[in-house]
Amino acid sequence: MNAPANAPTRRLTTAQALLAFLSRQYTARAGTEQRLITATWGIFGHGNVAGIGQALLEPGSDMPYHQGRNEQAMVHAAVGYARQRDRLSAHAVTTSIGPGATNLVTGAALATVNHLPVLLLPGDVFAARPADPVLQQLEVPCAGDVSVNDCLRPVSRYFDRITRPEALIPAALAAMSVLTDPARTGAVTLALPQDVQAEAYDWPEDFFRRRVWRVRAPRPDRDELAAAARLLRGARRPLVVAGGGVHHSGAEDALRALADATGIPVAATQAGKGALPHDHPADMGGIGHTGTAAADALAREADAVLGVGTRWTDFTTASATLFQHPDVRFASLNVSGADAHKMGGLQLVADAREGLEELAGALAGYRVEPAYESRCRALKADWEARVSAAFAPRDEGARPTQAQVLGVLDELADGSDILINAAGSLPGDLHKLWRTRSRDQYHVEYGYSCMGYEIPAAIGVALAAPGRPVWALVGDGTYLMNPTELVTAVQERLPVKVVILQNHGYASIGGLSAAVGGERFGTAYRFRAADGTYTGEVLPVDLAANAASLGLAVFRPKTIRDLREALASARAADRPTCVYVETETADTVSGPPPAQAWWDVPVAETATRPSAVEAREEYDRQVAARRRHL
């Protein structure tokens, strides 16, 4: 079916039409417009090389292209870019059919869990089925319309398979609507059969007109606002928990104004850290299992808690054991009603900035009691002293701990630096210790906590924030998961700074294994003996040499003194750079303070080994404190 004869049309292939359409989509918020899809990442194979690949070469496609090395990593790079751009701009990712498409699943899940927009354009098998099966086709005897791309359905906010050219028109518009919806955004998948990509069609010219998608910032309902204000006014020990929604809506100034006016202390989730700068009097640091003693002490005592843009995950609530006041009540300010209803509290469904500004007006004249402010200041000062102690080197000539590596970086950084991390023991250390200086400095992906996110995300962030120092902090385990995108950083001449902390194994999960009776089984990188046990000899693996082989300049500091020089050189470098650090463990020298709240990882209920029996006894003691907030 072609367009009516009297309507202006443009004859293009489906792939060409899609790129032309994408180049004309814009977002608008607070009076500022910007392009929505600013570039496409791709790895080409059969399924997209003759469709999207050819379309990118066509004159007038107006679509920048970035070459990836791993499909999952391309999604991570796109997600890092979107987060840095406050979800107002995003990237597309195209792959071949088969393994190229299924490699997108982890990245798509990460994007959707974290409410970050990315457009996925995987190739698909032939819609017309001229040969059946084709290379890499999954055959499902009971369903001829299933392909491996259906794996992307549960991890996508929107999914469609474009089996005819004209079907792209409603699907593309629906995709843009989801990408720009602050409550629904995440991974959006348009599966593109390879024959349909190359098929020509007379497209209505209006399909390619400039469209502006306004990113909604809904204001709160008056009754919900009044109820939240009454809750806070009636509290003696209120607490604000700032989540990622504060950053997504640009609500940092509104949060600061509320804290300044009322004196209510603010604790932050992993996604919300930096909502207030670390030196603001109301900033109590991270909350929950990886939080600070100050924030967690206030959470245990709080009689009213206002969550702003948080999903209330188990790390934030310490698996529902943190908030222990017998009469504690919650209110949740969130643009998503599905998140606002959590914790059995009052719902305040609104944009974080709009909601905080109106809530500040509703709380005019209210301020917490002076004794409570004094307690907050004392807790904050005590924690700052503990951070300084963890950062402080005892000997400049010694090998650093992981916390001391962060301490040296803390000395060098200013508000322009951006730190990226996602997995291992570093998220806990960063959440507790890092002194955030700007709203977008702290970039820890902890919704999905995906090993291998850091390096490609750093590339995306560097594309979104040119000229700023971008640090990818990784352990050796995470580095081994996904280092290949370093080649893309070299190719794109992006001066990302990769810090590899070598502790010869999965240190974070090793510590967890020890705590739950697993005795660190399978978590160290050691030689395996004939009897199946692991020796104490570390593997002769040289990750610094690997980074150098991929094109990075590499520093190998041995001491804290060397580290200070290496990090300074890396920060000033104009090419991708690696700082490789062998760290001491917290068992041998002072490390970060331990977890200040619990996290539920079930322990074997029956076991013969003493470590598991003891761990179960501790588990039963901790789980007894769990509450359901209804």
Side-chain angles (χ1 to χ4, degrees):
M1 180 182 71
N2 289 341
N6 61 344
T9 62
R10 192 187 308 184
R11 191 161 184 81
L12 299 170
T13 68
T14 303
Q16 293 163 359
L18 175 58
L19 294 184
F21 169 83
L22 293 177
S23 71
R24 300 290 290 165
Q25 308 306 303
Y26 291 80
T27 61
R29 188 176 75 181
T32 300
E33 294 183 5
Q34 52 191 285
R35 183 162 152 175
L36 174 54
I37 305 297
T38 60
T40 293
W41 289 83
I43 297 175
F44 295 111
H46 89 99
N48 69 339
V49 66
I52 296 290
Q54 187 281 329
L56 286 165
L57 286 172
E58 282 292 300
S61 73
D62 194 26
M63 180 62 69
Y65 167 71
H66 300 300
Q67 185 180 61
R69 269 74 197 175
N70 173 282
E71 291 87 357
Q72 180 188 138
M74 293 194 297
V75 185
H76 293 335
V79 167
Y81 177 89
R83 173 167 166 171
Q84 186 62 32
R85 296 296 295 267
D86 292 330
R87 307 192 301 183
L88 298 175
S89 290
H91 283 166
V93 177
T94 181
T95 71
S96 62
I97 72 172
T102 53
N103 280 350
L104 296 173
V105 173
T106 297
L110 181 148
T112 295
V113 166
N114 287 284
H115 299 294
L116 293 167
V118 60
L119 177 61
L120 306 181
L121 305 173
D124 212 329
V125 297
F126 285 83
R129 305 182 191 176
D132 195 29
V134 298
L135 178 65
Q136 299 177 328
Q137 179 175 339
L138 175 71
E139 292 187 90
V140 180
C142 63
D145 63 344
V146 171
S147 81
V148 296
N149 285 352
D150 288 276
C151 294
L152 288 160
R153 287 183 184 270
V155 293
S156 297
R157 291 293 185 187
Y158 178 83
F159 179 99
D160 203 351
R161 180 176 283 112
I162 312 303
T163 56
R164 289 291 305 145
E166 57 266 39
L168 177 65
I169 296 174
L173 293 169
M176 299 303 104
S177 175
V178 173
L179 286 172
T180 55
D181 187 319
R184 293 193 298 151
T185 194
V188 167
T189 300
L190 297 180
L192 302 170
Q194 55 182 315
D195 52 344
V196 176
Q197 287 185 51
E199 186 176 346
Y201 178 74
D202 293 325
W203 302 88
E205 193 66 39
D206 197 46
F207 182 53
F208 306 112
R209 68 176 174 83
R210 189 181 192 274
R211 283 183 171 82
V212 178
W213 301 85
R214 302 204 176 276
V215 179
R216 290 185 292 276
R219 299 175 66 178
D221 175 83
R222 288 186 299 175
D223 292 339
E224 291 182 349
L225 181 70
R230 283 196 300 271
L231 174 67
L232 293 173
R233 282 185 177 276
R236 297 187 60 202
R237 291 183 291 278
L239 177 68
V240 170
V241 176
V246 174
H247 294 308
H248 295 328
S249 66
E252 295 88 355
D253 288 345
L255 178 62
R256 181 198 292 258
L258 180 75
D260 287 343
T262 65
I264 299 176
V266 177
T269 69
Q270 285 279 11
K273 191 172 168 77
L276 292 179
H278 76 94
D279 55 357
H280 190 280
D283 180 60
M284 298 293 118
I287 191 171
H289 177 64
T290 54
T292 70
D296 287 351
L298 294 175
R300 291 184 181 97
E301 302 168 0
D303 55 357
V305 181
L306 172 68
V308 183
T310 176
R311 296 187 298 124
W312 294 115
T313 67
D314 61 342
F315 259 62
T316 297
T317 67
S319 299
T321 65
L322 184 57
F323 300 99
Q324 287 296 316
H325 191 287
D327 299 318
V328 63
R329 294 287 308 281
F330 295 82
S332 288
L333 167 56
N334 203 297
V335 74
S336 167
D339 289 323
H341 86 90
K342 295 174 182 176
M343 305 299 284
L346 301 171
Q347 298 185 53
L348 189 56
V349 180
D351 172 77
R353 180 173 53 82
E354 295 288 340
L356 285 171
E357 288 177 351
E358 295 206 18
L359 187 58
L363 291 172
Y366 165 79
R367 191 166 186 88
V368 300
E369 296 173 358
Y372 186 53
E373 285 195 82
S374 296
R375 174 157 173 73
C376 293
R377 286 195 298 269
L379 288 169
K380 179 178 176 67
D382 180 69
W383 185 257
E384 280 298 316
R386 296 178 69 179
V387 171
S388 296
F391 281 174
R394 294 181 179 178
D395 178 1
E396 287 282 328
R399 178 185 290 181
T401 65
Q402 182 166 282
Q404 288 165 348
V405 173
L406 297 181
V408 175
L409 189 55
D410 176 78
E411 295 173 9
L412 293 171
D414 61 30
S416 66
D417 293 77
I418 303 170
L419 275 63
I420 299 168
N421 183 243
S425 57
L426 273 166
D429 288 359
L430 287 163
H431 199 208
K432 287 194 291 278
L433 303 177
W434 186 256
R435 292 164 169 158
T436 311
R437 294 161 173 80
S438 61
R439 64 177 297 272
D440 61 354
Q441 180 175 80
Y442 189 86
H443 184 130
V444 173
E445 187 284 301
Y446 217 57
Y448 209 51
S449 188
C450 184
M451 296 178 72
Y453 172 81
E454 294 89 342
I455 291 171
I459 292 171
V461 170
L463 290 169
R468 294 180 62 178
V470 178
W471 300 87
L473 307 179
V474 299
D476 50 311
T478 292
Y479 179 85
L480 286 168
M481 288 276 183
N482 202 4
T484 53
E485 229 58 31
L486 290 174
V487 177
T488 300
V490 172
Q491 182 179 34
E492 300 272 354
R493 294 185 173 90
L494 297 171
V496 296
K497 297 92 173 57
V498 180
V499 180
I500 303 175
L501 300 171
Q502 172 64 276
N503 49 36
H504 302 286
Y506 301 120
S508 174
I509 207 67
L512 178 61
S513 173
V516 299
E519 302 178 31
R520 298 184 182 268
F521 175 73
T523 62
Y525 294 160
R526 300 288 192 271
F527 280 105
R528 191 168 188 174
D531 63 359
T533 62
Y534 291 89
T535 70
E537 186 180 0
V538 300
L539 302 179
V541 176
D542 191 339
L543 301 184
N546 177 264
S549 76
L550 297 178
L552 271 67
V554 175
F555 297 94
R556 295 173 177 258
K558 301 294 185 183
T559 67
I560 294 173
R561 184 181 301 107
D562 298 340
L563 175 66
R564 186 170 284 105
E565 295 174 1
L567 291 175
S569 296
R571 190 173 188 271
D574 60 359
R575 58 175 291 194
T577 304
C578 170
V579 178
Y580 175 83
V581 190
E582 291 262 3
T583 61
E584 290 285 4
T585 67
D587 297 330
T588 55
V589 294
S590 61
Q596 303 298 305
W598 188 59
W599 182 45
D600 187 350
V601 176
V603 178
E605 194 167 2
T606 61
T608 57
R609 298 179 71 88
S611 60
V613 173
E614 293 173 8
R616 181 66 196 197
E617 292 173 353
E618 175 63 15
Y619 178 84
D620 289 338
R621 187 182 71 82
Q622 294 283 1
V623 79
R626 174 141 50 213
R627 299 178 61 186
R628 289 196 181 274
H629 299 285
L630 300 173

